[in-house]
Amino acid sequence: MPDIRIYPAAIGHPARQDEGRSATGDGLVFEGISHAYVAANGSTPVLDNVSFRAGPGEVVCVVGPSGCGKSTLLNLAAGLLRPTAGRAYWKGREIHPGVNPDLGMAFQQPGLFPWMTVRRNVAVGLTTRGSSRVEANRRADEILDTVGLSGFGDAYPNQLSGGMAQRVGIARALALRPKLLLLDEPFASVDAFTRLKLQGELKTLLSLDKPTVLFVTHDVSEAILLGNEIVVMSPRPAAVRTIIPIEREDRDRAGPGYARKMTEILKHLGVETNLARD
Ligand code: ADP
Ligand code: MG
């Protein structure tokens, strides 16, 4: 079953984005966000007083242990969940459940519609928004070309490798030129080599349209490569452990800055970095 949640913001209730204007400024802002999932057998606290922001055009990566609440944070940013406490803002307006036309999302499972061609999977969001079929297909082919999939427009999702399907998922999110892009471990199910290539491609794509990006990953090297800032979360209920700025020179995997940031982040995550003991 395709996971329709990944679909770029075409679902939801009537928009209420105009309410709750605040002085928090532009970009994506989390202000004292706490969240607990409530079930019949009790409540699971997941996020604990989380505050940080991603300024316009910034890429903020969120790293943290599995199950700490990273996807929950993305769902809050997408307006798919309401926080138990605190507020989230996009462009100075409180995020409420509903349609955010600025939003694009890609999750770990690309969730492509299996009965549609690759081109149609990418184009369908554009036609939903009123583009003509010809124009939507043209844009789909253009973005497929950019993610290295020219020639695959007529293929069906079951004819693609995992890495190619991931690219289609990202292409679909980017086709709408989202101003806010939420990525939840989009490369988690591809092999290490493909992943390195996709990271480079995504970096190029982000430098073209410059959306504000919240990027969840458990891959610290990916976070350093793509992020302007890295938010390191503690185990559940997750609080912000630290926020680490990344400079351009830190992205050179062979350079000293990269090693320093890597060590710093892994320490915050409680991972021993020097195994050269014998
Ligand atoms: P992460 O993305 O960091 O791995 P999640 O945000 O997916 O973590 O989940 C955080 C915690 O909340 C986990 O313990 C998970 O089991 C729990 N959780 C996630 N979604 C739900 C839900 N809909 N109902 C109840 N518990 C949930
Ligand atoms: Mg997750």
Side-chain angles (χ1 to χ4, degrees), residues 70-71 184-185:
K70 303 182 294 297
S71 298
D184 196 355
E185 308 201 24

Side-chain angles (χ1 to χ4, degrees), residues 35-268:
H35 192 71
Y37 289 105
V38 180
N41 56 353
S43 155
T44 309
V46 173
L47 296 171
D48 178 21
N49 197 18
V50 170
S51 298
F52 67 90
R53 72 187 297 259
E58 268 184 359
V59 180
V60 172
C61 293
V62 176
V63 299
S66 192
C68 77
K70 303 182 294 297
S71 298
T72 302
L73 202 55
L74 283 186
N75 286 327
L76 289 162
L80 295 167
L81 269 183
R82 294 197 82 144
T84 313
R87 292 199 162 102
Y89 299 89
W90 167 243
K91 293 205 291 199
R93 292 190 164 91
E94 189 172 356
I95 296 170
H96 291 287
V99 176
N100 177 353
D102 290 342
L103 180 64
M105 303 178 74
F107 286 175
Q108 191 167 344
Q109 298 301 328
L112 306 177
F113 298 115
W115 61 90
M116 292 183 188
T117 63
V118 163
R119 178 181 299 108
R120 193 78 202 117
N121 263 286
V122 176
V124 69
L126 291 159
T127 45
T128 309
R129 283 197 184 182
S131 297
S132 70
R133 196 150 172 141
V134 170
E135 172 55 24
N137 285 345
R138 193 200 56 74
R139 170 74 181 141
D141 283 342
E142 177 186 272
I143 193 90
L144 284 169
D145 188 28
T146 319
V147 298
L149 287 177
S150 51
F152 286 91
D154 293 320
Y156 283 86
N158 67 2
Q159 296 172 295
L160 305 179
S161 70
M164 289 158 80
Q166 295 268 1
R167 285 173 204 222
V168 178
I170 290 168
R172 178 169 58 180
L174 290 171
L176 295 168
R177 297 214 148 85
K179 299 206 167 41
L180 174 61
L181 180 62
L182 305 176
L183 299 172
D184 196 355
E185 308 201 24
F187 307 137
S189 54
V190 299
D191 66 87
F193 181 61
T194 306
R195 188 177 182 127
L196 289 173
K197 289 208 307 194
L198 291 180
Q199 288 164 356
E201 284 164 11
L202 181 63
K203 179 104 192 126
T204 308
L205 285 170
L206 296 182
S207 70
L208 296 176
D209 280 354
K210 296 197 175 50
T212 300
V213 184
L214 191 60
F215 188 123
V216 164
T217 177
H218 56 243
D219 181 333
V220 176
S221 88
E222 180 167 286
I224 296 173
L225 181 77
L226 292 165
N228 302 111
E229 270 184 350
I230 300 183
V231 177
V232 183
M233 311 288 287
S234 68
R236 184 173 68 83
V240 174
R241 192 158 260 175
T242 187
I243 298 178
I244 295 176
I246 301 296
E247 308 300 334
R248 178 189 281 264
E249 57 272 19
D250 298 334
R251 302 204 178 101
D252 173 5
R253 283 197 169 99
Y258 176 83
R260 254 197 314 274
K261 295 289 175 177
M262 189 79 176
T263 308
E264 187 182 353
I265 295 161
L266 289 174
K267 275 207 174 117
H268 282 292

